[in-house]
Amino acid sequence: MYRWEITRAALAQRVFAIVRSATYDEASATADTLLSAGITSLEISLTTPFALEAVTTLTRELGDDAVIGAGTVLDAVSARMAVDAGARFLVSPSLDAEVIRTAHRYGVPVFAGVSTPNEIVRGLELGADALKLFPATGRHPSWISDVRAALPQAPLLPTGGVTVEAAPEWIAAGAVAVGMGSALSEGDRETVAKRAADLLVRLADAVPEQPGGERTMDLYGD
């Protein structure tokens, strides 16, 4: 798959799950719960012990049924290791040119971290496939609307502090997708399944309509 195809698949549900755990077993259990709940895109944070092993296992077992990425990728070395482990996309809390360059060399998209308009423009210049607004905590979804009035070409992914209640507001304001961690994954399997099903419907309904009456889809449209 090309980078744009992977990006579109990773963000198709307008949410990607973030798995950050204290142990490998806990991360595996969380990922299994989310995938069983119908979430098809998730990142394993490299702060999780044996995170790359988890990425390899999930990618091998799931194939094209889900898009598995690596998160908290801070440098070129980590980027290359994540790509070698089978990560389909990389997510970073910061904007690092070497992470983007390394991943792109191997056809892997990068969702780079930004927090200001200046960083958004720099991320676009560096060729980031999407821009992770981090942290979203303390910001209102209207921030996205204000920024996109001047930078409508910026594909923004609010992450960090995004709640189930607020997630549709971010999409309605113009975000391409949202990244969610424990707000999405906490609870037993039944609770997570119900939460995920409800959220996916609300996110789809929140997508703004274009002047012609069609809803915008994702970064590259249909």
Side-chain angles (χ1 to χ4, degrees), residues 160-185:
V162 175
T163 64
V164 171
E165 294 73 25
E169 296 181 43
W170 287 104
I171 299 301
V176 174
V178 294
M180 300 180 66
S182 60
L184 181 61
S185 63

Side-chain angles (χ1 to χ4, degrees), residues 1-217:
M1 297 175 72
Y2 294 108
R3 278 194 355 245
W4 66 267
E5 293 178 297
I6 299 171
T7 300
R8 189 154 89 169
L11 304 179
Q13 292 184 315
R14 301 177 184 86
V15 60
F16 62 95
I18 301 164
V19 177
R20 180 179 291 108
S21 304
T23 68
Y24 172 90
D25 289 341
E26 183 181 324
S28 296
T30 299
D32 181 62
T33 297
L34 290 164
L35 293 164
S36 297
I39 300 299
T40 60
S41 178
L42 59 85
E43 66 163 91
I44 306 295
S45 170
L46 296 190
T47 59
T48 299
F50 303 105
L52 294 179
E53 285 83 346
V55 169
T56 298
T57 299
L58 289 168
T59 300
R60 182 179 64 246
E61 292 180 349
L62 295 167
D64 293 332
D65 291 336
V67 187
I68 307 300
T72 324
V73 180
L74 302 180
D75 51 42
V77 173
S78 299
R80 177 59 193 270
M81 291 174 66
V83 170
D84 287 346
R88 304 287 294 281
F89 64 94
L90 306 185
V91 185
S92 177
S94 58
L95 184 58
D96 186 276
E98 288 303 314
V99 168
I100 297 172
R101 186 175 296 114
T102 299
H104 283 185
R105 185 177 298 126
Y106 301 101
V108 174
V110 177
F111 308 156
V114 297
S115 61
T116 67
N118 184 60
E119 291 180 345
I120 290 172
V121 172
R122 181 60 176 154
L124 292 172
E125 292 173 344
L126 292 173
D129 301 273
L131 300 166
K132 170 182 171 177
L133 172 61
F134 180 79
T137 305
R139 296 187 188 273
H140 189 272
S142 61
W143 189 89
I144 293 273
S145 300
D146 292 341
V147 169
R148 293 193 75 251
L151 299 169
Q153 73 274 31
L156 297 172
L157 312 173
T159 306
V162 175
T163 64
V164 171
E165 294 73 25
E169 296 181 43
W170 287 104
I171 299 301
V176 174
V178 294
M180 300 180 66
S182 60
L184 181 61
S185 63
E186 62 184 357
D188 58 28
R189 294 176 77 90
E190 183 178 352
T191 299
V192 175
K194 184 177 183 303
R195 181 187 299 130
D198 177 67
L199 177 63
L200 292 177
V201 171
R202 294 174 62 208
L203 292 178
D205 289 343
V207 177
E209 289 188 357
Q210 295 180 328
E214 296 182 355
R215 292 181 180 274
T216 57
M217 177 54 189

